[in-house]
Amino acid sequence: PVLWKWSGYFEFYHQSLHPLVGKSPVFLLLGVNTGGDLFMFRDYFGKGARIYGLDINRECEIFSLEDQIKVFTGSQSNATVLDEVAAEAGGLF
């Protein structure tokens, strides 16, 4: 996995998401690309986090082999796909 972010993103993420650290959040990432964000959020939130991803590239499903990560193939503009992802995650997002 590769992570490409402008440095300012990390401070924003920390300010916005810090209250969820250690609280087993369920998190959906739209657009997986090279997978770096999946691992970043998994490591940031901690052991109890469940990280879901959605990408139009089927090859991104390889990241589902990692603990706490599940990636679906589909488009974020497809309501049926989003419903399937939400159902898998227990309706949480």
Side-chain angles (χ1 to χ4, degrees):
V2 176
L3 180 64
W4 293 309
K5 292 282 180 211
W6 294 100
S7 60
Y9 280 102
F10 298 111
E11 183 61 30
F12 173 77
Y13 289 152
H14 181 67
Q15 289 176 1
S16 302
L17 302 173
H18 182 72
L20 300 175
V21 171
K23 296 189 177 175
S24 303
V26 178
F27 191 83
L28 174 61
L29 179 66
L30 299 175
V32 171
N33 196 13
T34 58
D37 287 352
L38 295 167
F39 293 86
M40 177 189 71
F41 287 118
R42 180 193 65 185
D43 294 347
Y44 181 75
F45 289 129
K47 282 281 188 198
R50 293 186 344 210
I51 310 300
Y52 291 89
L54 178 65
D55 201 287
I56 59 173
N57 182 354
R58 185 170 303 281
E59 293 177 8
C60 291
E61 288 181 11
I62 190 72
F63 300 119
S64 293
L65 297 174
E66 299 291 328
D67 290 340
Q68 300 171 251
I69 295 174
K70 170 77 174 175
V71 177
F72 295 87
T73 299
S75 173
Q76 65 186 357
S77 66
N78 185 326
T80 301
V81 170
L82 292 174
D83 288 343
E84 290 170 5
V85 173
E88 173 84 16
L92 307 170
F93 291 121

